[in-house]
């Protein structure tokens, strides 16, 4: 079974609109971390935002925020006021604790296209 | 200064050859990783090292051999290259050993390997 599921392979959004990229995860561990990374067409992987399973508040970083719904095991990325430069692949990822090999498992990604 | 660097950026080679990819990080991190990203953009961990010690060894053909001469370097050697090895290989590093799930991974720029 997939640990990280991103159900939207591709999305098209008008510039300046808000975008929500979906991510659901599967773990039985109460302690875990969730990450979002951006991969533009140039190929590099850029860390965007982190949410810990025990964090009381949803994470925010500038125009990025994470809609964390623990009971539903979802960690959707919200991008406010989208820009052309937001066009990229976006990956959701999860880390489980050290004694489980400290792996970060990535979802299959969502390709976001921002339209002018 | 580049935090995580990889060489070469592009590698084109014939089937059956042996090749190496080098990775260096100047962040003082203890843990380094190799990921493979296939043509569908799926990112999968291959290996991780913590302080020169192998921590994660996913189901990877033994033609792939990582080598960590010191904690700032993690090289990947591939023997008898096959067509299916064509992919982008990313090196990454994180603070480790894991004291916080918060530790993000810093990625190198990737090496695009094409096997002809």
């Amino acid at each position: 079974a997939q640990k990280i599921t991103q159900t939207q392979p591709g999305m098209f959004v008008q510039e300046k609109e808000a975008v929500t990229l979906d991510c659901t995860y599967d773990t039985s561990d109460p302690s875990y971390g969730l990450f979002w990374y951006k991969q533009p067409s140039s190929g590099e992987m850029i860390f965007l935002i982190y949410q810990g399973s025990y964090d009381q508040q949803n994470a925010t970083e500038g125009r990025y925020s994470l809609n964390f719904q623990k009971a539903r095991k979802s960690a959707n990325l919200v991008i406010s006021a989208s820009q052309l430069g937001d066009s990229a692949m976006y990956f959701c990822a999860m880390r489980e604790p050290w004694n489980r090999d400290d792996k970060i498992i990535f979802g299959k990604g969502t390709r976001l296209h921002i339209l002018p | 200064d580049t935090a995580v660097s990889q060489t070469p950026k592009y590698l084109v080679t014939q089937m059956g050859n042996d090749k190496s990819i080098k990775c260096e990080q100047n962040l003082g991190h203890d843990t380094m990783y190799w990921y493979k990203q296939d043509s569908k953009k799926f990112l999968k961990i291959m290996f991780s090292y913590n302080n020169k010690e192998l921590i994660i060894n996913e189901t990877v053909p033994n033609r792939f051999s990582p080598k960590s001469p010191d904690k700032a370097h993690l090289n990947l050697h591939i023997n008898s290259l096959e067509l299916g090895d064509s992919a982008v290989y990313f090196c990454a590093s994180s603070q480790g050993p894991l004291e916080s799930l918060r530790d993000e991974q810093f990625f190198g720029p990737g090496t695009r390997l094409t096997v002809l």
Side-chain angles (χ1 to χ4, degrees):
Chain A
Q2 281 191 12
K3 287 246 176 185
I4 297 282
T5 303
Q6 295 181 251
T7 56
Q8 308 147 310
M11 285 184 73
F12 289 82
V13 173
Q14 209 67 42
E15 192 181 6
K16 297 180 186 172
E17 289 183 354
V19 182
T20 298
L21 304 179
D22 295 342
C23 173
T24 57
Y25 57 91
D26 180 28
T27 180
S28 56
D29 204 302
S31 179
Y32 51 89
L34 297 158
F35 301 80
W36 277 93
Y37 282 84
K38 172 184 178 181
Q39 187 177 39
S41 57
S42 50
E44 70 269 34
M45 294 286 288
I46 303 167
F47 166 73
L48 294 179
I49 197 166
Y50 168 82
Q51 180 82 45
S53 59
Y54 291 121
D55 291 346
Q56 294 296 312
Q57 294 188 329
N58 287 346
T60 60
E61 290 284 351
R63 292 185 302 112
Y64 304 109
S65 60
L66 210 149
N67 183 1
F68 181 46
Q69 298 187 45
K70 195 169 180 177
R72 298 173 71 175
K73 294 189 177 176
S74 77
N76 298 340
L77 177 70
V78 180
I79 307 174
S80 62
S82 58
Q83 302 171 356
L84 295 178
D86 294 333
S87 294
M89 282 288 287
Y90 289 81
F91 294 95
C92 180
M94 178 174 66
R95 166 184 262 147
E96 293 175 300
W98 175 244
N99 61 3
R100 287 172 177 76
D101 293 337
D102 185 30
K103 283 193 288 195
I104 287 189
I105 299 166
F106 285 81
K108 293 190 175 180
T110 294
R111 186 173 291 282
L112 176 63
H113 304 267
I114 304 297
L115 304 171
Chain B
D1 270 348
T2 305
V4 183
S5 59
Q6 292 178 230
T7 52
K9 191 166 172 60
Y10 299 96
L11 188 51
V12 181
T13 188
Q14 298 285 338
M15 255 175 42
N17 284 348
D18 303 338
K19 290 294 178 186
S20 291
I21 307 172
K22 295 187 175 182
C23 178
E24 177 182 359
Q25 54 96 2
N26 62 6
L27 297 166
H29 287 165
D30 287 335
T31 308
M32 296 184 72
Y33 310 81
W34 277 109
Y35 286 88
K36 179 180 179 181
Q37 187 174 43
D38 62 23
S39 58
K40 294 182 179 177
K41 298 294 186 182
F42 184 52
L43 200 64
K44 190 172 191 305
I45 191 163
M46 300 172 71
F47 302 102
S48 81
Y49 269 73
N50 177 256
N51 257 323
K52 303 192 296 176
E53 183 184 341
L54 181 65
I55 302 298
I56 295 172
N57 184 349
E58 287 294 285
T59 309
V60 175
N62 57 15
R63 298 182 294 103
F64 290 80
S65 52
K67 292 256 181 347
S68 181
D70 55 63
K71 75 173 192 176
H73 295 85
L74 180 62
N75 303 325
L76 183 66
H77 188 76
I78 316 170
N79 288 330
S80 304
L81 278 155
E82 300 178 358
L83 295 177
D85 297 332
S86 294
V88 179
Y89 292 84
F90 284 98
C91 177
S93 73
S94 68
Q95 184 61 49
L98 192 63
E99 294 177 359
S100 165
L101 290 166
R102 167 63 178 86
D103 287 341
E104 76 208 57
Q105 294 191 350
F106 291 79
F107 282 80
T111 296
R112 183 174 293 276
L113 171 65
T114 303
V115 182
L116 303 175

